[in-house]
Amino acid sequence: MDPMIERKDKKNEVTEKFKKVLLQDVGKMYPNMLDGCYFVPPVYFNKLRYTKKSVVGQVIYIPDPPNDSYVRHDRAMKHVLYCLHHMAEHGQEKMFVLTQFNYNDYLNNPGEEYRKHLLPVFDSLKNKNKDKHVGCFDVMIIHRQYGVVIGVVKSLSDKDDGRKESEQETDHQLAKDISEGIQQLVKADRVIQHFMSDQQQCPPVQLTLMLPNVTRSTLQRALNNHADVAKNLRECMKNMEPPTELCLCADDVSNPLSPYDVDPTVMSHLTEWWDRLMSSPADGPAMSDELYQTMIARFCGGATSSGSDIFRGSSITQLPKTLEQSVSVIGSLFERITLYPGNLELLDRPRVLLTGPPGTGKSRMLALVGRKWISEGHSVYIINTRMVVVQLQ
């Protein structure tokens, strides 16, 4: 037998076994996979990064100065995800919602036994298209009935002072953001088609922009003033509907000042947007249960490991996929000692007095100060006091 054919047969055998293992493992992770709604990860992790330092033998973490664009995007993402949570719960949607997912993460952790599988991965697409820039999904929804929805989130706000110049500036920046979003959506569509290219059918893919801080009227105005961008957006979304109707806008979500207040009116607007998006025709056949489970197994299973470099100078922190994993990760993060720049100055003071509500780190900070004083040869005493308030009748 030809050695090359024999090696290919062995790789095909490994691939088939790998696909079966993926389905078995994901079934254990999500027992209600076909009928439930899952967010992966279940909580959103901010882009704020921390630098690790050692103080008197104690490892502490100092947050880096915040990047304004990251802060705005994190707020927009959490706003969108909170509204999607409510919409999914209200409509009992059967779907998986992925966020913070880099293309390079796809099937990046198959295990040694299945490392030589033949399933499509991002490296093969990157090499084929000479695309060295690694992208990510802002929001990817795998829906049991409708297929795949890819959303790009932009954080620009249309709040201005009413000046004509301000409107023009907003329109110009919005047109720029939309153009960037179109490029992200086109690439995301191509990536999905590639990842599912080994299947007999690819799921229908719907593309949308998510602009939680921009009203639909502002979006329409910007598109009216930038006809080329409007044309590109319509072509990208592949439908005959006005593209503004299929974009998630400020009109459809809760107030950014109170994002958790998803009242019945907001829910009605969210549902109307979702219905418009889902009724818009998308390329490809309807999603089958087999393809639905296959996508969940590949994107949400253990063979795909999403990471976040939360702590600079440390290993990549793996993002959780299930609620149980989230509790574990958040617990470990909570146990770490985090000091903000202003707290570091307290370590050099001869006296320290801390006040604040529970959970703000007072005890940890005092323990750290005590360790430092002991290391310098001082005596440290602990006095436990208790205030009793008596109410006289």
Side-chain angles (χ1 to χ4, degrees):
M1 184 177 182
D2 189 325
M4 291 187 64
I5 297 178
E6 185 176 3
R7 284 196 295 271
K8 186 174 181 180
D9 286 343
K10 287 183 178 179
K11 287 185 176 181
N12 285 331
E13 183 179 342
V14 169
T15 302
E16 291 303 314
K17 187 177 179 181
F18 181 43
K19 290 193 288 187
K20 292 180 181 178
V21 169
L22 284 175
L23 287 171
Q24 292 172 357
D25 290 347
V26 81
K28 297 175 183 177
M29 293 176 65
Y30 309 105
N32 195 31
M33 179 170 55
L34 283 176
D35 297 315
C37 177
Y38 296 87
F39 283 70
V40 183
V43 293
Y44 181 84
F45 289 82
N46 290 336
K47 292 185 177 67
L48 184 64
R49 299 295 178 256
Y50 297 79
T51 299
K52 183 168 66 173
K53 290 187 177 182
S54 178
V55 176
V56 292
Q58 184 77 42
V59 175
I60 63 172
Y61 296 89
I62 311 298
D64 294 348
N67 181 303
D68 289 342
S69 63
Y70 284 173
V71 171
R72 289 194 300 270
H73 190 262
D74 283 337
R75 287 175 179 169
M77 282 291 301
K78 287 187 283 189
H79 191 182
V80 167
L81 290 175
Y82 197 83
C83 290
L84 288 178
H85 265 285
H86 275 265
M87 187 202 71
E89 182 178 352
H90 179 265
Q92 297 183 332
E93 302 288 346
K94 301 170 183 178
M95 63 187 191
F96 278 65
V97 182
L98 280 73
T99 57
Q100 299 180 280
F101 186 99
N102 289 318
Y103 300 149
N104 263 350
D105 293 338
Y106 182 73
L107 296 182
N108 64 343
N109 187 33
E112 290 299 326
E113 186 178 356
Y114 306 108
R115 195 161 295 281
K116 295 184 179 180
H117 68 81
L118 297 177
L119 296 178
V121 292
F122 185 64
D123 278 346
S124 55
L125 177 65
K126 184 169 61 174
N127 295 335
K128 181 179 178 181
N129 291 274
K130 298 181 179 180
D131 185 356
K132 302 300 182 182
H133 178 69
V134 178
C136 66
F137 297 120
D138 278 347
V139 178
M140 174 184 174
I141 301 174
I142 306 174
H143 198 283
R144 183 179 177 185
Q145 178 182 354
Y146 300 120
V148 176
V149 176
I150 300 295
V152 168
V153 177
K154 294 297 180 182
S155 60
L156 178 70
S157 174
D158 63 2
K159 300 300 182 184
D160 55 49
D161 56 10
R163 293 182 297 111
K164 188 66 176 179
E165 295 83 356
S166 181
E167 282 190 2
Q168 293 174 349
E169 292 170 3
T170 298
D171 290 354
H172 175 75
Q173 185 59 51
L174 185 52
K176 182 180 178 182
D177 280 3
I178 293 172
S179 295
E180 292 176 355
I182 290 171
Q183 294 179 11
Q184 292 175 260
L185 289 172
V186 170
K187 182 173 182 177
D189 189 11
R190 187 170 72 247
V191 168
I192 291 291
Q193 302 292 336
H194 172 70
F195 286 165
M196 294 292 104
S197 60
D198 66 303
Q199 297 293 297
Q200 292 183 351
Q201 65 179 42
C202 188
V205 179
Q206 185 62 269
L207 309 175
T208 185
L209 290 177
M210 297 177 166
L211 311 166
N213 302 317
V214 175
T215 63
R216 190 161 281 108
S217 60
T218 298
L219 175 60
Q220 185 62 63
R221 186 189 70 209
L223 292 177
N224 289 341
N225 293 328
H226 295 81
D228 56 333
V229 177
K231 178 176 178 293
N232 292 337
L233 181 60
R234 184 184 296 276
E235 291 176 352
C236 169
M237 300 180 80
K238 305 174 186 177
N239 63 82
M240 299 305 294
E241 294 288 332
T244 54
E245 293 299 311
L246 302 183
C247 294
L248 183 70
C249 296
D251 314 67
D252 310 311
V253 297
S254 53
N255 189 315
L257 299 178
S258 55
Y260 306 113
D261 186 15
V262 183
D263 59 28
T265 300
V266 174
M267 185 59 62
S268 175
H269 292 160
L270 265 174
T271 303
E272 289 174 5
W273 163 77
W274 179 253
D275 289 342
R276 289 196 302 271
L277 187 66
M278 293 302 97
S279 63
S280 180
D283 294 337
M287 176 73 89
S288 65
D289 283 354
E290 180 180 358
L291 183 56
Y292 181 63
Q293 293 177 84
T294 295
M295 293 195 70
I296 294 170
R298 296 187 186 184
F299 283 95
C300 307
T304 292
S305 177
S306 297
S308 176
D309 188 13
I310 297 176
F311 301 108
R312 298 193 186 281
S314 64
S315 59
I316 297 294
T317 300
Q318 184 173 330
L319 293 177
K321 295 180 179 295
T322 65
L323 190 58
E324 292 79 5
Q325 292 174 2
S326 295
V327 172
S328 177
V329 170
I330 293 173
S332 65
L333 295 179
F334 184 77
E335 290 176 353
R336 301 175 191 258
I337 298 179
T338 301
L339 294 184
Y340 291 89
N343 297 138
L344 289 177
E345 300 174 2
L346 299 177
L347 295 175
D348 298 322
R349 294 185 180 181
R351 294 181 178 84
V352 177
L353 176 64
L354 300 178
T355 62
T360 54
K362 299 185 300 298
S363 299
R364 287 186 176 182
M365 185 65 208
L366 288 175
L368 194 61
V369 171
R371 288 173 65 99
K372 185 173 184 295
W373 286 347
I374 290 174
S375 71
E376 295 171 348
H378 300 290
S379 297
V380 175
Y381 301 93
I382 299 175
I383 301 175
N384 184 17
T385 63
R386 181 182 178 186
M387 182 186 298
V388 178
V389 178
V390 179
Q391 181 177 1
L392 298 179
Q393 298 294 331

